[in-house]
Amino acid sequence: MQVNLRESWWIRDVEIPTRLVLAPMAGVSVQAFRRQGRRYGAGLVCSEMVSCAGLEHRNERTLGYLRVGADEHPLAIQIFGAEPAVMAEAARMVEAAGADLVDVNFGCPVRKVTKTGAGATLLDDPDRACRIVEAMAEAVIVPVSVKMRRGLENGSRTCLDVGPRLVEAGASTLTLHPRSAKQMYTGEADHALTAELVSLVDVPVVASGDITSRARAQAVLATTGAAAVMVGRGAQGNPWTLREIVDGDSAEPTREEVAAELILFIRETVRELGQRRASGFLKKFYGWYLGRGRFPRPFKQELVQLESADEVARRLFAAAPGAAEIVERLEAELPDPADEILLDQMPISIYGGG
């Protein structure tokens, strides 16, 4: 059975225009990444996970994750933490920033997150997990979504017990990555578990894990009954895989197209993070974009050695002169930066003072 990935679906009162969701990824899902994902077919984009403790303490860098662009909607901002009251306040801040959904992370397996009692650890504390979701759902009008793993240990079926309870607590949608926290990203995602979860809840379920092609997306949607698929690592430096999944367009990008997308990504990231932070942050993206035989390996190594992101952009223009016209067109399509919701436009009470 072929599923139309261009068909819209709903998370409560939020319409998602395609059945492809761009995953929240730490150190990756900046605004430039999300905007690019929307252009290439993602119906819903997600921020990287944001610390509710950082929001509570009004950390300037953490607050910066709440920047929302006019072309990102529908957008979910993901938060993590372990205290219901603090998570509820963070959810209010996410709503005030203009997000369409507030997502809670019950899936992160990384030690620095789980040691605080957050992330995947909460699957082993379902009462607390439900209190968090309930507090968030009562605090905001926008839907609350939950992203989780199958459980902490290999072979765990914890998600099948916890998932329905989270829905009862107020979750409007669930995303399941059916690997254990212990697995990290090894082995295969067991989407038979996704199908079981779909049968147990009356809200949309998003299938995450190993969605790397249109054929795989179609197979997972058809066999699980999930409302949508989530793509993560496959889209890193490769937005064309989103286009292939949604539309079946498997045409390889030209060198000029690759260079243009990377240059735009660099410029947008510098605008968001500043030259100094962006220069270090961007280095991992050079290999992701320019790999797959698109550019010679020495060229990628050369870019990593350059001191500033601006120098990298100039070198890319020199290597692919035809990229200039594409970049000009792409930049003309971007919304006016004045349309962004920035911190000084948010109610003052949520970020300190009066």
Side-chain angles (χ1 to χ4, degrees):
M1 181 181 73
Q2 289 289 301
V3 178
N4 179 9
L5 282 115
R6 280 286 178 187
E7 183 180 46
S8 65
W9 57 290
W10 295 81
I11 299 175
R12 216 179 65 196
D13 54 349
V14 178
E15 184 176 10
I16 314 299
T18 75
R19 295 187 178 271
L20 178 63
V21 180
L22 188 60
M25 290 178 281
V28 175
S29 300
V30 292
Q31 192 177 66
F33 183 77
R34 303 191 305 258
R35 283 174 149 165
Q36 184 184 67
R38 289 285 292 128
R39 285 192 289 110
Y40 276 87
L44 175 66
V45 295
C46 308
S47 76
E48 61 183 292
M49 59 181 183
V50 182
S51 166
C52 71
L55 293 177
E56 181 186 26
H57 294 104
R58 298 347 186 216
N59 177 276
E60 184 177 354
R61 180 174 290 191
T62 307
L63 288 169
Y65 291 124
L66 302 187
R67 176 187 277 115
V68 176
D71 57 342
E72 294 189 76
H73 299 288
L75 164 72
I77 291 181
Q78 185 183 83
I79 58 176
F80 72 97
E83 296 300 326
V86 177
M87 290 287 278
E89 178 62 17
R92 291 187 191 99
M93 297 177 73
V94 166
E95 181 178 56
D100 302 283
L101 296 94
V102 54
D103 188 64
V104 57
N105 185 304
F106 290 164
C108 181
V110 177
R111 174 65 181 160
K112 70 178 181 180
V113 172
T114 58
K115 73 179 181 182
T116 68
T121 303
L122 283 160
L123 295 174
D124 264 9
D125 192 352
D127 290 341
R128 179 182 289 270
C130 289
R131 289 198 302 273
I132 288 171
V133 169
E134 184 176 22
M136 291 170 59
E138 290 177 352
V140 297
I141 296 173
V142 299
V144 172
S145 58
V146 176
K147 187 172 189 288
M148 61 183 179
R149 291 210 169 207
R150 67 182 300 161
L152 296 185
E153 300 297 325
N154 294 345
S156 170
R157 294 170 60 83
T158 301
C159 62
L160 301 183
D161 297 322
V162 178
R165 291 187 59 185
L166 296 175
V167 172
E168 288 179 14
S172 295
T173 183
L174 303 173
T175 295
L176 178 62
H177 184 155
R179 284 185 171 90
S180 68
K182 194 172 187 177
Q183 275 182 278
M184 299 291 283
Y185 296 98
T186 62
E188 294 183 1
D190 180 8
H191 283 294
L193 209 63
T194 308
E196 290 190 65
L197 181 63
V198 169
S199 72
L200 293 174
V201 297
D202 59 359
V203 299
V205 173
V206 179
S208 174
D210 300 343
I211 309 298
T212 56
S213 67
R214 181 176 176 84
R216 181 61 176 156
Q218 289 281 4
V220 169
L221 288 171
T223 58
T224 65
V229 291
M230 178 174 280
V231 175
R233 290 171 292 162
Q236 293 174 348
N238 193 31
W240 300 277
T241 197
L242 303 178
R243 183 177 65 189
E244 189 272 331
I245 290 171
V246 172
D247 295 322
D249 183 351
S250 58
E252 277 295 309
T254 65
R255 282 169 59 102
E256 289 73 21
E257 288 171 330
V258 171
E261 286 291 353
L262 178 51
I263 290 163
L264 181 65
F265 188 85
I266 289 169
R267 288 181 171 180
E268 286 290 286
T269 303
V270 168
R271 184 183 65 83
E272 181 180 356
L273 303 182
Q275 182 71 240
R276 184 174 179 181
R277 273 183 67 196
S279 292
F281 171 85
L282 286 163
K283 289 185 185 296
K284 59 181 172 285
F285 286 88
Y286 303 152
W288 290 342
Y289 274 92
L290 305 179
R292 303 175 178 85
R294 293 168 179 165
F295 282 79
R297 184 180 295 271
F299 182 68
K300 292 179 285 182
Q301 295 169 338
E302 176 189 341
L303 295 188
V304 172
Q305 300 303 315
L306 296 176
E307 290 189 5
S308 75
D310 285 347
E311 288 180 272
V312 174
R314 286 195 292 271
R315 185 67 185 88
L316 285 164
F317 276 128
E325 183 178 342
I326 301 173
V327 171
E328 184 177 355
R329 173 177 55 80
L330 292 174
E331 289 187 325
E333 295 170 356
L334 292 174
D336 189 325
D339 291 336
E340 287 184 336
I341 294 179
L342 304 176
L343 298 184
D344 59 5
Q345 298 168 335
M346 295 165 63
I348 192 168
S349 61
I350 70 168
Y351 64 89

